[in-house]
Structure formats: C-alpha cells, structure tokens
Amino acid sequence: MVDLNALEAIVSELLSLYEIAAPPIPIESILQSPKDDMWDEIDVTQISGSFFKVGAGYSARMSMARVLARHISSSEWGQMRGLGSIRSDEAMLQAFARMMVMPASMILELKDNVRTPELLGAHFEVPPEEARLRLDDLTRYAPLP
C-alpha cells in the first residue's frame, strides 16, 4: 500500500516532468498532454458534465483533479509507481487529487499566516473546503521536502 509521503514524491515527479514551479497546477493540460509513455490522453470534452461537482468556485478543477488521480492510478505509469493499490481507496484518491492541485512543496513555501483555507483556495484555485482538507492532510503526516 502506498503512503502519503510516496504520493507526495509522485506529485513532485509530475511537477518536475511538466516543469511546473507555481500554482495553479494545469490539471486539464496534464490530462490532455501526457508525456511519452505516461498514460493515454483524455479528451476532457468527452467527460460528462454530470460528473463534475458544481458549487463553490473552482469545484470543477477539483473534479478534474479526481479524474486525473483515477486515470494516473490505473495507468501503467502509475502502477509502476505503486498507485494501483489506491484505485479502490476513495480516501487515498481524494488525498492524491488534493496533493496534485496543492503540492506540499508549494504550500510549505508560503508563510504561516497565508496557510488558511480561504487564502490557499484563492492561491491554488480550489474551493476553500478542499484547501482545509489539504491542510488537515498535512497535519496527519510530515511530507518530505
């Protein structure tokens, strides 16, 4: 079973492969333009609108991040990194999706007073509730730098 630090390492690898240094993380571009031998491209226009949770601002981004988490975990690339074990673990898939849009390395670069759900939500373009859950995730383990 993959742990949260291993997921953070995979997110760091993705950031490096896609040369992403600052938020917002281009989730849709990652889905549509996988690097060679990563996973099959997804046509996001073919994803049902009923799939997306609509409500708070940026909730569609989180839905897209969950699509990406599921897609990566079922890909050969993801399975080579031990992600096959999270496909049936909804809590880990949710945590992985939050990690991808709010990487620990980027959160930890911010000053403590900026690490509030509302400010993180605006900074990473996610709903504040998802930012709160991400902050909760980070208190449960010590992410690797």
Side-chain angles (χ1 to χ4, degrees):
M1 185 63 151
V2 68
D3 68 12
L4 295 173
N5 279 311
L7 289 178
E8 292 284 2
I10 292 166
V11 169
S12 291
E13 183 180 357
L14 282 170
L15 294 175
S16 178
L17 287 169
Y18 282 90
E19 300 177 359
I20 300 167
I25 308 304
I27 296 297
E28 191 172 311
S29 296
I30 294 170
L31 271 169
Q32 292 177 314
S33 305
K35 300 291 182 185
D36 292 340
D37 299 325
M38 289 185 85
W39 52 79
D40 293 332
E41 177 182 329
I42 290 182
D43 181 356
V44 294
T45 64
Q46 298 301 310
I47 297 173
S48 168
S50 63
F51 173 82
F52 293 103
K53 290 183 182 177
V54 179
Y58 303 121
S59 54
R61 272 182 51 77
M62 285 308 304
S63 293
M64 194 65 68
R66 287 187 284 276
V67 168
L68 180 59
R70 284 182 178 84
H71 194 63
I72 291 174
S73 69
S74 64
S75 73
E76 186 176 328
W77 186 90
Q79 290 182 24
M80 289 173 46
R81 284 152 181 82
L83 291 177
S85 64
I86 72 168
R87 285 187 300 183
S88 60
D89 186 337
E90 191 62 29
M92 288 296 276
L93 279 169
Q94 296 282 337
F96 186 42
R98 286 190 297 273
M99 285 178 191
M100 285 190 286
V101 292
M102 296 173 276
S105 60
M106 292 181 187
I107 292 173
L108 296 174
E109 289 175 349
L110 300 171
K111 294 181 182 197
D112 288 344
N113 64 341
V114 177
R115 295 184 203 163
T116 67
E118 293 74 22
L119 293 175
L120 283 181
H123 188 67
F124 289 99
E125 298 185 357
V126 298
E129 176 60 18
E130 293 289 346
R132 185 192 62 73
L133 291 169
R134 181 65 173 126
L135 289 170
D136 290 348
D137 292 343
L138 289 172
T139 62
R140 284 195 272 285
Y141 71 101
L144 300 173

